[in-house]
């Protein structure tokens, strides 16, 4: 109880009924008792302040952080690797750096990056950095490509998944069978379930083929077959999402995204020149969904895909036998009515765009007519024969 403590003020004068008169307080005049009470109050105040001092300073430190950016000093020490993913924003980079104890706070890195006009040049990939660096030192280090672990691999457009596994295996020393095992679960690699829907009445065959986007990839240290394929699938989803591929093919082409992806792969395989990607896609649509007599693709590249998938060597069209071209056991044979079960390779952005927005035309035939890979397109057999004559004159066929 501290009721009797006096902090140097008198009690208010009271009236007969104990009420404060006017609510004013008078100073007590003189008396050693007042000085004693004041001394005791001071001691108690110091005691109380001492008891809460640790908490007060802790609270002060937290409040201070709102005004002062928590940051380390200097260039840090030791070594740590940090992966910056494709499409990472400054805040995402900062989160990765804080998690690795490279910088003290997200704010320290973001403020330093915003103050450095070159920070927009920070690339995705894996970096060798130090622990407990200042935000400014971390930005400077990430702009120095000597600190970037270069383990890049370019996946060309139009490669089959099996061919991609071989390229990845050569680069990473991860066995091909590990990639094949990971690829058995496309949805586990990040392909949304809705991609595996068809509007043409064909049975859905779930495959990672078509979803391994061709690009140059930085392979992170200690990467697994699954993590690498996930990276490629994620890139595919980002690119097609930016293109609004799925929405546009459903609205404009009246086909499912998976069917359009199959057509993209056909265009990638058949077009000898990027200028013809959209036209080849148009031919595929016209043959399968138009008035072409068999409503079949009649493309030899589908047969070669099947041969590769069963471990047989691929062949030039001129070397294929009629039995190989029309094998009823081959679900990719050229006389199959409608579209084939899956994409036959992994198309690039231009092939995807060609299938999404092909030029108008009633073409159902095409043939390469020069060594640059350009093709002539025709609506009738007669036109096609004339184009083939051009190709023979040029020594193409």
């Amino acid at each position: 109880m501290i009721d009797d403590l006096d902090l140097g003020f008198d009690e208010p004068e009271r009236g007969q009924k104990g009420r404060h008169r006017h609510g004013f307080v008078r100073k007590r005049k003189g008396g050693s008792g007042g000085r004693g009470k004041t001394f005791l109050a001071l001691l108690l105040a110091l005691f109380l302040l001492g008891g809460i001092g640790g908490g007060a300073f802790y609270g002060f430190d937290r409040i201070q952080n709102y005004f002062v950016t928590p940051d380390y000093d200097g260039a840090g020490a030791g070594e740590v690797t940090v992966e910056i993913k494709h499409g990472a924003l400054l805040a995402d980079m900062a989160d990765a750096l804080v998690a690795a104890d490279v910088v003290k706070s997200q704010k320290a890195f973001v403020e330093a990056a915003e103050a450095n006009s070159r920070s927009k040049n920070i690339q995705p990939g894996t970096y060798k950095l130090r622990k407990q660096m200042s935000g400014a030192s971390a930005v400077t280090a990430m702009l120095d490509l000597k600190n970037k672990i270069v383990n890049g691999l370019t996946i060309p457009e139009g490669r089959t998944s099996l061919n991609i596994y071989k390229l990845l295996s050569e680069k990473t020393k991860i066995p091909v069978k590990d990639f094949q095992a990971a690829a058995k679960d496309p949805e586990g690699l990040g392909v949304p379930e809705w991609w595996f829907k068809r509007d043409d009445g064909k049975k859905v065959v779930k495959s990672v083929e078509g979803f391994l986007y061709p690009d140059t990839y930085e392979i992170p240290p200690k990467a697994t077959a699954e993590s690498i394929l996930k990276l490629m699938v994620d890139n595919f989803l980002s690119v097609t999402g930016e293109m609004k591929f799925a929405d546009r093919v459903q609205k404009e082409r009246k086909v499912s995204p998976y069917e359009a992806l199959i057509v993209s792969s056909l265009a990638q395989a058949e077009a000898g020149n990027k200028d013809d990607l959209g036209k080849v896609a148009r031919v595929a649509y016209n043959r399968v969904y138009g008035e072409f007599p068999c409503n079949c693709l009649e493309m030899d590249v589908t047969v070669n895909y099947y041969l590769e998938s069963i471990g047989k060597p691929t062949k030039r069209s001129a070397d294929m036998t009629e039995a190989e071209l029309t094998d009823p056991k081959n679900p990719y044979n050229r006389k199959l009515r409608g579209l084939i079960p899956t994409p036959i390779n992994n198309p690039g952005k231009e092939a995807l765009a060609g299938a999404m927005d092909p030029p108008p035309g009633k073409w159902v035939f095409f043939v390469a007519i020069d060594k640059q890979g350009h093709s002539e397109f025709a609506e009738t057999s007669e036109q096609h024969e004339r184009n083939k004559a051009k190709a023979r004159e040029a020594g193409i066929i």
Side-chain angles (χ1 to χ4, degrees):
M1 298 292 290
I2 61 173
D3 292 350
D4 291 331
L5 288 180
D6 193 324
L7 298 181
F9 301 99
D10 278 347
E11 293 182 3
E13 294 183 2
R14 298 180 183 274
Q16 290 179 345
K17 294 184 179 180
R19 294 178 181 172
H20 293 113
R21 191 190 333 176
H22 305 303
F24 291 107
V25 183
R26 292 187 293 109
K27 277 276 194 174
R28 179 172 297 180
K29 297 179 181 178
S32 60
R35 288 193 296 272
K37 289 182 178 180
T38 300
F39 179 71
L40 287 172
L42 180 60
L43 285 176
L44 181 58
L46 289 172
F47 172 76
L48 290 173
L49 285 173
I52 65 171
F57 282 115
Y58 172 73
F60 174 75
D61 186 59
R62 293 190 64 187
I63 293 170
Q64 185 185 42
N65 285 344
Y66 286 103
F67 302 99
V68 179
T69 300
D71 199 1
Y72 292 126
D73 291 325
E79 188 175 282
V80 64
T81 58
V82 179
E83 181 187 358
I84 302 299
K85 296 184 177 180
H86 284 271
L89 303 175
L90 285 179
D92 302 320
M93 297 180 192
D95 287 341
L97 295 171
V98 169
D101 195 28
V102 173
V103 297
K104 192 170 187 179
S105 68
Q106 185 193 72
K107 190 177 179 183
F109 177 78
V110 170
E111 286 184 351
E114 289 177 343
N116 189 327
S117 61
R118 293 182 58 237
S119 65
K120 63 181 181 294
N121 297 323
I122 295 176
Q123 303 173 6
T126 303
Y127 292 84
K128 283 184 181 179
L129 301 171
R130 295 178 178 178
K131 287 195 171 187
Q132 300 189 355
M133 308 176 76
S134 69
S137 294
V139 170
T140 300
M142 294 174 74
L143 287 169
D144 186 347
L145 293 182
K146 289 187 295 185
N147 296 317
K148 191 167 184 278
I149 300 173
V150 178
N151 193 25
L153 173 64
T154 298
I155 304 298
E157 294 146 336
R159 296 297 180 96
T160 64
S161 57
L162 181 58
N163 188 274
I164 289 173
Y165 303 154
K166 291 176 180 177
L167 289 174
L168 291 170
S169 181
E170 290 171 4
K171 180 70 176 180
T172 65
K173 308 308 177 186
I174 298 172
V176 168
K177 65 180 182 180
D178 288 9
F179 290 102
Q180 292 173 314
K184 289 181 179 178
D185 182 13
E187 291 177 26
L189 294 175
V191 181
E193 188 273 338
W194 58 262
W195 265 97
F196 297 114
K197 294 186 185 298
R198 299 181 67 143
D199 297 334
D200 60 357
K202 291 292 190 76
K203 179 183 176 181
V204 174
V205 177
K206 295 184 178 182
S207 169
V208 78
E209 196 77 74
F211 297 99
L212 303 178
Y213 189 73
D215 204 345
T216 297
Y217 292 92
E218 290 291 336
I219 309 298
K222 300 181 181 178
T224 64
E226 184 179 9
S227 69
I228 294 170
L229 297 187
K230 279 184 175 180
L231 182 66
M232 299 180 74
V233 169
D234 184 62
N235 199 9
F236 169 87
L237 296 174
S238 295
V239 171
T240 53
E242 291 171 2
M243 296 172 66
K244 301 189 185 307
F245 180 87
D247 292 337
R248 288 191 60 183
V249 297
Q250 290 176 96
K251 182 179 179 181
E252 299 170 22
R253 304 276 73 78
K254 309 300 181 186
V255 300
S256 72
Y258 196 58
E259 291 165 68
L261 181 59
I262 292 172
V263 171
S264 300
S265 73
L266 293 168
Q268 189 75 74
E270 287 280 10
N273 189 287
K274 67 178 182 179
D275 297 335
D276 292 335
L277 287 166
K279 288 184 176 181
V280 174
R282 175 60 73 184
V283 169
Y285 285 130
N286 289 345
R287 287 185 181 181
V288 172
Y289 301 114
E291 298 178 1
F292 198 57
C294 66
N295 288 124
C296 59
L297 287 169
E298 284 197 345
M299 293 182 179
D300 300 342
V301 290
T302 64
V303 177
N304 265 330
Y305 180 73
Y306 175 69
L307 292 175
E308 181 181 343
S309 71
I310 60 175
K312 291 186 176 181
T314 58
K315 297 183 176 182
R316 294 188 312 123
S317 297
D319 297 331
M320 290 183 182
T321 66
E322 186 65 21
E324 288 173 326
L325 291 170
T326 59
D327 179 4
K329 295 180 181 179
N330 174 7
Y332 295 85
N333 83 68
R334 68 197 303 271
K335 288 293 185 180
L336 179 78
R337 189 175 183 83
L339 282 177
I340 51 181
T342 69
I344 60 170
N345 58 46
N346 295 273
K349 188 173 183 178
E350 290 176 318
L352 290 164
M356 180 178 71
D357 188 22
K362 296 181 179 180
W363 313 296
V364 289
F365 301 105
F366 64 96
V367 62
I369 51 93
D370 63 32
K371 293 183 179 180
Q372 287 72 46
H374 292 97
S375 293
E376 286 283 0
F377 294 79
E379 297 179 19
T380 67
S381 297
E382 292 76 13
Q383 291 173 338
H384 186 48
E385 288 302 321
R386 290 195 292 270
N387 291 337
K388 286 168 68 176
K390 289 183 185 178
R392 281 191 287 271
E393 288 176 12
I396 306 301
I397 60 174

